[in-house]
Amino acid sequence: MSQTIGAIIALMAASVLAMNVQQGAVRSKMDMVAEETETYAGSVALDVLDYISTTAFDEATKGGGSYSRDELTAVPFSTGKRYEDAEDIDDFHEIQTYTFTSGYESYEFEVDVTVQYVSEEDGETVSGTPTFAKLVTVYVTNPILQRYDRTVTM
């Protein structure tokens, strides 16, 4: 009888050990997937920034020529536009969440954008009045990154 109990305890210990090893392997692979997804999200953010850079600086600058700060779009910028309908940089401010779809169905990324006027001297100090410098911030996430409480910000 004692040998049977000893065998059952040994079997339980081996099962627990095997389960812990397997959980560690799964966690390791999930971390690797999250890191690769984060890298991919960085590429998505760069693609979005590249696209935004092809649009006009402001509605007033579309025609070229000379213009003054008084002609630039006043703050606060309008919000809620669609990504595809944006014609100049400030049109991207707080757009409807854009879904970037990769070649793989399971790899969709949600993209949000903010745009602010900033100081022309340092490019970081937010300005409440129009300047000839705008700071564009892109936020990219997807369900895998959300599980790890991560968002890629550029």
Side-chain angles (χ1 to χ4, degrees), residues 99 123 147:
T99 301
R147 183 179 304 144

Side-chain angles (χ1 to χ4, degrees), residues 13 58 104:
D58 195 89
Y104 305 103

